[in-house]
Amino acid sequence: MLNWIDPIKPTIEASSIGFTVIASDPAGTATVDTSGSVNISQMPAAPGYDENIDITLLLDTSNMRDANGNLLTGDNTPRWAKSDEGTTYTDSKGKTQHCGYGWFCEITNYGPPLQYQALPPIDIAKMAFKRKDDLNLVIEDKSDDGSPPYAFKFGFVLPGQYNEYFISIDPVLSTKSTRTTSFMLKD
């Protein structure tokens, strides 16, 4: 939920973000906590299931309101950023690039506490962000079971009267360690 003080120049007065699992295949095998940490420890070790675990992020705009308390709808409906929007960084060739809808972050210290560098984005073999539409992002994960943890960020845009205002969400840290007690990083 987002509430604004000034509808022309957005200043966040109050905001909250929540995460929830709305479906998993097979049912009941994935959970998520309020920070967005994903737990897939209940994935079956059975024929028919492999190491390719994709995560779909659905942007729920149903509670996002403007400074007057009106729901953001129509041309003002928030959406996932496009690849040419949002936070910028300088790539290895000296060119300015946009982070867009989602990117992976380098973990700099396994801690505790775990630390990461939000920019520049990093590439992770066999993993990619895909923007399916304005409300659905997919993290395609074709990495091996037990792969190291990764951090990622994603961003959405407030279009229309908010002049394409970009908001990025703090990283969610994940590993692919199925059939263990936790999906999150362990010592």
Side-chain angles (χ1 to χ4, degrees):
M1 181 171 82
L2 296 172
N3 291 308
W4 306 101
I5 292 173
D6 180 347
I8 305 303
K9 181 180 178 192
T11 303
I12 299 175
E13 178 181 82
S15 66
S16 64
I17 184 168
F19 298 89
T20 186
V21 173
I22 57 174
S24 64
D25 181 16
T29 57
T31 61
V32 66
D33 67 22
T34 56
S35 73
S37 300
V38 178
N39 183 330
I40 55 167
S41 63
Q42 300 304 310
M43 293 299 289
Y49 297 98
D50 61 24
E51 299 170 335
N52 298 329
I53 299 171
D54 296 341
I55 299 171
T56 299
L57 303 168
L58 171 66
L59 180 62
D60 179 2
T61 62
S62 64
N63 287 317
M64 294 185 183
R65 299 177 183 277
D66 66 15
N68 300 316
N70 300 314
L71 286 173
L72 297 174
T73 59
D75 291 342
N76 296 324
T77 301
R79 61 171 171 74
W80 290 119
K82 296 178 183 172
S83 60
D84 62 349
E85 294 178 310
T87 304
T88 60
Y89 66 97
T90 303
D91 69 14
S92 61
K93 297 177 182 171
K95 292 184 77 173
T96 299
Q97 303 287 345
H98 289 271
C99 288
Y101 46 81
W103 63 98
F104 297 106
C105 305
E106 178 183 4
I107 295 175
T108 57
N109 188 334
Y110 288 96
L114 190 133
Q115 297 171 350
Y116 55 87
Q117 181 175 325
L119 292 173
I122 63 168
D123 291 325
I124 299 178
K126 300 181 182 178
M127 295 188 69
F129 268 95
K130 302 287 182 179
R131 184 184 189 275
K132 293 184 79 168
D133 55 41
D134 284 351
L135 300 179
N136 290 277
L137 288 183
V138 176
I139 299 174
E140 291 183 344
D141 185 346
K142 301 193 182 330
S143 64
D144 297 332
D145 194 15
S147 293
Y150 60 93
F152 60 94
K153 289 187 84 163
F154 43 93
F156 65 96
V157 169
L158 299 174
Q161 63 180 318
Y162 299 110
N163 196 27
E164 310 304 310
Y165 193 76
F166 178 84
I167 298 173
S168 63
I169 308 301
D170 291 336
V172 176
L173 305 170
S174 303
T175 65
K176 271 193 57 177
S177 183
T178 58
R179 295 177 294 279
T180 62
T181 57
S182 176
F183 186 54
M184 296 305 295
L185 177 67
K186 288 182 171 280
D187 291 333

mmCIF file with all atom_site columns, all heavy atoms in Angstrom, residues 1 15-21 32-36 58-60 154 169:
data_model
loop_
_atom_site.group_PDB
_atom_site.id
_atom_site.type_symbol
_atom_site.label_atom_id
_atom_site.label_alt_id
_atom_site.label_comp_id
_atom_site.label_asym_id
_atom_site.label_entity_id
_atom_site.label_seq_id
_atom_site.pdbx_PDB_ins_code
_atom_site.Cartn_x
_atom_site.Cartn_y
_atom_site.Cartn_z
_atom_site.occupancy
_atom_site.B_iso_or_equiv
_atom_site.pdbx_formal_charge
_atom_site.auth_seq_id
_atom_site.auth_comp_id
_atom_site.auth_asym_id
_atom_site.auth_atom_id
_atom_site.pdbx_PDB_model_num
ATOM 1   N N   . MET A 1 1   ? 0.840  -1.167  0.000   1.00 0.00 ? 1   MET A N   1
ATOM 2   C CA  . MET A 1 1   ? 0.000  0.000   0.000   1.00 0.00 ? 1   MET A CA  1
ATOM 3   C C   . MET A 1 1   ? 0.890  1.238   0.000   1.00 0.00 ? 1   MET A C   1
ATOM 4   O O   . MET A 1 1   ? 1.869  1.300   0.727   1.00 0.00 ? 1   MET A O   1
ATOM 5   C CB  . MET A 1 1   ? -0.891 0.005   1.229   1.00 0.00 ? 1   MET A CB  1
ATOM 6   C CG  . MET A 1 1   ? -1.804 1.192   1.282   1.00 0.00 ? 1   MET A CG  1
ATOM 7   S SD  . MET A 1 1   ? -3.024 1.072   2.589   1.00 0.00 ? 1   MET A SD  1
ATOM 8   C CE  . MET A 1 1   ? -2.075 1.610   3.977   1.00 0.00 ? 1   MET A CE  1
ATOM 9   N N   . SER A 1 15  ? 3.865  3.649   3.594   1.00 0.00 ? 15  SER A N   1
ATOM 10  C CA  . SER A 1 15  ? 3.863  2.554   2.629   1.00 0.00 ? 15  SER A CA  1
ATOM 11  C C   . SER A 1 15  ? 4.071  1.243   3.364   1.00 0.00 ? 15  SER A C   1
ATOM 12  O O   . SER A 1 15  ? 4.606  1.207   4.464   1.00 0.00 ? 15  SER A O   1
ATOM 13  C CB  . SER A 1 15  ? 4.963  2.746   1.582   1.00 0.00 ? 15  SER A CB  1
ATOM 14  O OG  . SER A 1 15  ? 6.231  2.653   2.184   1.00 0.00 ? 15  SER A OG  1
ATOM 15  N N   . SER A 1 16  ? 3.642  0.213   2.740   1.00 0.00 ? 16  SER A N   1
ATOM 16  C CA  . SER A 1 16  ? 3.904  -1.121  3.253   1.00 0.00 ? 16  SER A CA  1
ATOM 17  C C   . SER A 1 16  ? 3.947  -2.057  2.066   1.00 0.00 ? 16  SER A C   1
ATOM 18  O O   . SER A 1 16  ? 3.379  -1.783  1.014   1.00 0.00 ? 16  SER A O   1
ATOM 19  C CB  . SER A 1 16  ? 2.824  -1.557  4.248   1.00 0.00 ? 16  SER A CB  1
ATOM 20  O OG  . SER A 1 16  ? 1.578  -1.663  3.603   1.00 0.00 ? 16  SER A OG  1
ATOM 21  N N   . ILE A 1 17  ? 4.654  -3.131  2.240   1.00 0.00 ? 17  ILE A N   1
ATOM 22  C CA  . ILE A 1 17  ? 4.726  -4.144  1.198   1.00 0.00 ? 17  ILE A CA  1
ATOM 23  C C   . ILE A 1 17  ? 4.560  -5.487  1.885   1.00 0.00 ? 17  ILE A C   1
ATOM 24  O O   . ILE A 1 17  ? 5.026  -5.681  3.011   1.00 0.00 ? 17  ILE A O   1
ATOM 25  C CB  . ILE A 1 17  ? 6.041  -4.067  0.404   1.00 0.00 ? 17  ILE A CB  1
ATOM 26  C CG1 . ILE A 1 17  ? 6.034  -5.072  -0.741  1.00 0.00 ? 17  ILE A CG1 1
ATOM 27  C CG2 . ILE A 1 17  ? 7.239  -4.261  1.311   1.00 0.00 ? 17  ILE A CG2 1
ATOM 28  C CD1 . ILE A 1 17  ? 7.144  -4.876  -1.738  1.00 0.00 ? 17  ILE A CD1 1
ATOM 29  N N   . GLY A 1 18  ? 3.874  -6.366  1.229   1.00 0.00 ? 18  GLY A N   1
ATOM 30  C CA  . GLY A 1 18  ? 3.676  -7.696  1.777   1.00 0.00 ? 18  GLY A CA  1
ATOM 31  C C   . GLY A 1 18  ? 3.840  -8.724  0.691   1.00 0.00 ? 18  GLY A C   1
ATOM 32  O O   . GLY A 1 18  ? 3.672  -8.426  -0.495  1.00 0.00 ? 18  GLY A O   1
ATOM 33  N N   . PHE A 1 19  ? 4.186  -9.913  1.067   1.00 0.00 ? 19  PHE A N   1
ATOM 34  C CA  . PHE A 1 19  ? 4.362  -11.007 0.123   1.00 0.00 ? 19  PHE A CA  1
ATOM 35  C C   . PHE A 1 19  ? 3.506  -12.167 0.579   1.00 0.00 ? 19  PHE A C   1
ATOM 36  O O   . PHE A 1 19  ? 3.375  -12.431 1.770   1.00 0.00 ? 19  PHE A O   1
ATOM 37  C CB  . PHE A 1 19  ? 5.829  -11.446 0.086   1.00 0.00 ? 19  PHE A CB  1
ATOM 38  C CG  . PHE A 1 19  ? 6.770  -10.378 -0.376  1.00 0.00 ? 19  PHE A CG  1
ATOM 39  C CD1 . PHE A 1 19  ? 7.339  -9.503  0.529   1.00 0.00 ? 19  PHE A CD1 1
ATOM 40  C CD2 . PHE A 1 19  ? 7.081  -10.259 -1.718  1.00 0.00 ? 19  PHE A CD2 1
ATOM 41  C CE1 . PHE A 1 19  ? 8.214  -8.511  0.113   1.00 0.00 ? 19  PHE A CE1 1
ATOM 42  C CE2 . PHE A 1 19  ? 7.960  -9.266  -2.151  1.00 0.00 ? 19  PHE A CE2 1
ATOM 43  C CZ  . PHE A 1 19  ? 8.525  -8.394  -1.237  1.00 0.00 ? 19  PHE A CZ  1
ATOM 44  N N   . THR A 1 20  ? 2.960  -12.886 -0.380  1.00 0.00 ? 20  THR A N   1
ATOM 45  C CA  . THR A 1 20  ? 2.192  -14.076 -0.062  1.00 0.00 ? 20  THR A CA  1
ATOM 46  C C   . THR A 1 20  ? 2.246  -15.031 -1.239  1.00 0.00 ? 20  THR A C   1
ATOM 47  O O   . THR A 1 20  ? 2.420  -14.618 -2.382  1.00 0.00 ? 20  THR A O   1
ATOM 48  C CB  . THR A 1 20  ? 0.730  -13.734 0.280   1.00 0.00 ? 20  THR A CB  1
ATOM 49  O OG1 . THR A 1 20  ? 0.070  -14.910 0.719   1.00 0.00 ? 20  THR A OG1 1
ATOM 50  C CG2 . THR A 1 20  ? -0.005 -13.157 -0.900  1.00 0.00 ? 20  THR A CG2 1
ATOM 51  N N   . VAL A 1 21  ? 2.129  -16.304 -0.971  1.00 0.00 ? 21  VAL A N   1
ATOM 52  C CA  . VAL A 1 21  ? 2.046  -17.310 -2.028  1.00 0.00 ? 21  VAL A CA  1
ATOM 53  C C   . VAL A 1 21  ? 0.590  -17.456 -2.405  1.00 0.00 ? 21  VAL A C   1
ATOM 54  O O   . VAL A 1 21  ? -0.259 -17.674 -1.541  1.00 0.00 ? 21  VAL A O   1
ATOM 55  C CB  . VAL A 1 21  ? 2.604  -18.671 -1.557  1.00 0.00 ? 21  VAL A CB  1
ATOM 56  C CG1 . VAL A 1 21  ? 2.351  -19.749 -2.606  1.00 0.00 ? 21  VAL A CG1 1
ATOM 57  C CG2 . VAL A 1 21  ? 4.078  -18.568 -1.232  1.00 0.00 ? 21  VAL A CG2 1
ATOM 58  N N   . VAL A 1 32  ? 6.143  -18.160 1.719   1.00 0.00 ? 32  VAL A N   1
ATOM 59  C CA  . VAL A 1 32  ? 6.884  -16.906 1.687   1.00 0.00 ? 32  VAL A CA  1
ATOM 60  C C   . VAL A 1 32  ? 6.570  -16.155 2.969   1.00 0.00 ? 32  VAL A C   1
ATOM 61  O O   . VAL A 1 32  ? 5.446  -16.204 3.459   1.00 0.00 ? 32  VAL A O   1
ATOM 62  C CB  . VAL A 1 32  ? 6.515  -16.085 0.421   1.00 0.00 ? 32  VAL A CB  1
ATOM 63  C CG1 . VAL A 1 32  ? 5.080  -15.632 0.443   1.00 0.00 ? 32  VAL A CG1 1
ATOM 64  C CG2 . VAL A 1 32  ? 7.439  -14.907 0.229   1.00 0.00 ? 32  VAL A CG2 1
ATOM 65  N N   . ASP A 1 33  ? 7.606  -15.511 3.554   1.00 0.00 ? 33  ASP A N   1
ATOM 66  C CA  . ASP A 1 33  ? 7.335  -14.745 4.766   1.00 0.00 ? 33  ASP A CA  1
ATOM 67  C C   . ASP A 1 33  ? 7.139  -13.272 4.419   1.00 0.00 ? 33  ASP A C   1
ATOM 68  O O   . ASP A 1 33  ? 7.198  -12.889 3.258   1.00 0.00 ? 33  ASP A O   1
ATOM 69  C CB  . ASP A 1 33  ? 8.417  -14.968 5.832   1.00 0.00 ? 33  ASP A CB  1
ATOM 70  C CG  . ASP A 1 33  ? 9.775  -14.412 5.449   1.00 0.00 ? 33  ASP A CG  1
ATOM 71  O OD1 . ASP A 1 33  ? 9.863  -13.501 4.596   1.00 0.00 ? 33  ASP A OD1 1
ATOM 72  O OD2 . ASP A 1 33  ? 10.776 -14.878 6.022   1.00 0.00 ? 33  ASP A OD2 1
ATOM 73  N N   . THR A 1 34  ? 6.914  -12.447 5.419   1.00 0.00 ? 34  THR A N   1
ATOM 74  C CA  . THR A 1 34  ? 6.586  -11.041 5.171   1.00 0.00 ? 34  THR A CA  1
ATOM 75  C C   . THR A 1 34  ? 7.723  -10.269 4.517   1.00 0.00 ? 34  THR A C   1
ATOM 76  O O   . THR A 1 34  ? 7.490  -9.247  3.891   1.00 0.00 ? 34  THR A O   1
ATOM 77  C CB  . THR A 1 34  ? 6.174  -10.328 6.464   1.00 0.00 ? 34  THR A CB  1
ATOM 78  O OG1 . THR A 1 34  ? 7.237  -10.472 7.414   1.00 0.00 ? 34  THR A OG1 1
ATOM 79  C CG2 . THR A 1 34  ? 4.886  -10.900 7.023   1.00 0.00 ? 34  THR A CG2 1
ATOM 80  N N   . SER A 1 35  ? 8.966  -10.755 4.617   1.00 0.00 ? 35  SER A N   1
ATOM 81  C CA  . SER A 1 35  ? 10.092 -10.075 3.967   1.00 0.00 ? 35  SER A CA  1
ATOM 82  C C   . SER A 1 35  ? 10.239 -10.495 2.518   1.00 0.00 ? 35  SER A C   1
ATOM 83  O O   . SER A 1 35  ? 11.028 -9.925  1.782   1.00 0.00 ? 35  SER A O   1
ATOM 84  C CB  . SER A 1 35  ? 11.392 -10.374 4.714   1.00 0.00 ? 35  SER A CB  1
ATOM 85  O OG  . SER A 1 35  ? 11.804 -11.710 4.475   1.00 0.00 ? 35  SER A OG  1
ATOM 86  N N   . GLY A 1 36  ? 9.502  -11.507 2.099   1.00 0.00 ? 36  GLY A N   1
ATOM 87  C CA  . GLY A 1 36  ? 9.602  -12.012 0.739   1.00 0.00 ? 36  GLY A CA  1
ATOM 88  C C   . GLY A 1 36  ? 10.513 -13.211 0.612   1.00 0.00 ? 36  GLY A C   1
ATOM 89  O O   . GLY A 1 36  ? 10.725 -13.725 -0.477  1.00 0.00 ? 36  GLY A O   1
ATOM 90  N N   . LEU A 1 58  ? 3.705  -11.263 -8.743  1.00 0.00 ? 58  LEU A N   1
ATOM 91  C CA  . LEU A 1 58  ? 2.491  -10.582 -9.173  1.00 0.00 ? 58  LEU A CA  1
ATOM 92  C C   . LEU A 1 58  ? 2.390  -9.264  -8.428  1.00 0.00 ? 58  LEU A C   1
ATOM 93  O O   . LEU A 1 58  ? 2.390  -9.243  -7.197  1.00 0.00 ? 58  LEU A O   1
ATOM 94  C CB  . LEU A 1 58  ? 1.258  -11.438 -8.886  1.00 0.00 ? 58  LEU A CB  1
ATOM 95  C CG  . LEU A 1 58  ? -0.100 -10.769 -9.077  1.00 0.00 ? 58  LEU A CG  1
ATOM 96  C CD1 . LEU A 1 58  ? -0.339 -10.432 -10.541 1.00 0.00 ? 58  LEU A CD1 1
ATOM 97  C CD2 . LEU A 1 58  ? -1.206 -11.668 -8.547  1.00 0.00 ? 58  LEU A CD2 1
ATOM 98  N N   . LEU A 1 59  ? 2.316  -8.150  -9.162  1.00 0.00 ? 59  LEU A N   1
ATOM 99  C CA  . LEU A 1 59  ? 2.152  -6.833  -8.557  1.00 0.00 ? 59  LEU A CA  1
ATOM 100 C C   . LEU A 1 59  ? 0.664  -6.626  -8.297  1.00 0.00 ? 59  LEU A C   1
ATOM 101 O O   . LEU A 1 59  ? -0.134 -6.503  -9.216  1.00 0.00 ? 59  LEU A O   1
ATOM 102 C CB  . LEU A 1 59  ? 2.696  -5.747  -9.496  1.00 0.00 ? 59  LEU A CB  1
ATOM 103 C CG  . LEU A 1 59  ? 2.589  -4.309  -9.001  1.00 0.00 ? 59  LEU A CG  1
ATOM 104 C CD1 . LEU A 1 59  ? 3.397  -4.113  -7.720  1.00 0.00 ? 59  LEU A CD1 1
ATOM 105 C CD2 . LEU A 1 59  ? 3.075  -3.351  -10.080 1.00 0.00 ? 59  LEU A CD2 1
ATOM 106 N N   . ASP A 1 60  ? 0.283  -6.611  -7.030  1.00 0.00 ? 60  ASP A N   1
ATOM 107 C CA  . ASP A 1 60  ? -1.115 -6.415  -6.643  1.00 0.00 ? 60  ASP A CA  1
ATOM 108 C C   . ASP A 1 60  ? -1.333 -4.929  -6.391  1.00 0.00 ? 60  ASP A C   1
ATOM 109 O O   . ASP A 1 60  ? -0.846 -4.377  -5.412  1.00 0.00 ? 60  ASP A O   1
ATOM 110 C CB  . ASP A 1 60  ? -1.424 -7.222  -5.386  1.00 0.00 ? 60  ASP A CB  1
ATOM 111 C CG  . ASP A 1 60  ? -2.849 -7.053  -4.898  1.00 0.00 ? 60  ASP A CG  1
ATOM 112 O OD1 . ASP A 1 60  ? -3.647 -6.336  -5.547  1.00 0.00 ? 60  ASP A OD1 1
ATOM 113 O OD2 . ASP A 1 60  ? -3.169 -7.635  -3.847  1.00 0.00 ? 60  ASP A OD2 1
ATOM 114 N N   . PHE A 1 154 ? 13.613 -5.669  -7.615  1.00 0.00 ? 154 PHE A N   1
ATOM 115 C CA  . PHE A 1 154 ? 12.680 -5.452  -8.716  1.00 0.00 ? 154 PHE A CA  1
ATOM 116 C C   . PHE A 1 154 ? 12.036 -4.100  -8.521  1.00 0.00 ? 154 PHE A C   1
ATOM 117 O O   . PHE A 1 154 ? 12.046 -3.544  -7.417  1.00 0.00 ? 154 PHE A O   1
ATOM 118 C CB  . PHE A 1 154 ? 11.646 -6.581  -8.833  1.00 0.00 ? 154 PHE A CB  1
ATOM 119 C CG  . PHE A 1 154 ? 11.062 -7.044  -7.528  1.00 0.00 ? 154 PHE A CG  1
ATOM 120 C CD1 . PHE A 1 154 ? 9.887  -6.495  -7.044  1.00 0.00 ? 154 PHE A CD1 1
ATOM 121 C CD2 . PHE A 1 154 ? 11.680 -8.043  -6.807  1.00 0.00 ? 154 PHE A CD2 1
ATOM 122 C CE1 . PHE A 1 154 ? 9.343  -6.928  -5.843  1.00 0.00 ? 154 PHE A CE1 1
ATOM 123 C CE2 . PHE A 1 154 ? 11.140 -8.487  -5.599  1.00 0.00 ? 154 PHE A CE2 1
ATOM 124 C CZ  . PHE A 1 154 ? 9.966  -7.927  -5.121  1.00 0.00 ? 154 PHE A CZ  1
ATOM 125 N N   . ILE A 1 169 ? 12.114 -2.368  -4.961  1.00 0.00 ? 169 ILE A N   1
ATOM 126 C CA  . ILE A 1 169 ? 11.817 -3.138  -3.757  1.00 0.00 ? 169 ILE A CA  1
ATOM 127 C C   . ILE A 1 169 ? 13.115 -3.777  -3.261  1.00 0.00 ? 169 ILE A C   1
ATOM 128 O O   . ILE A 1 169 ? 13.908 -4.280  -4.053  1.00 0.00 ? 169 ILE A O   1
ATOM 129 C CB  . ILE A 1 169 ? 10.766 -4.236  -4.055  1.00 0.00 ? 169 ILE A CB  1
ATOM 130 C CG1 . ILE A 1 169 ? 9.534  -3.649  -4.735  1.00 0.00 ? 169 ILE A CG1 1
ATOM 131 C CG2 . ILE A 1 169 ? 10.406 -4.997  -2.789  1.00 0.00 ? 169 ILE A CG2 1
ATOM 132 C CD1 . ILE A 1 169 ? 8.813  -2.590  -3.965  1.00 0.00 ? 169 ILE A CD1 1
#
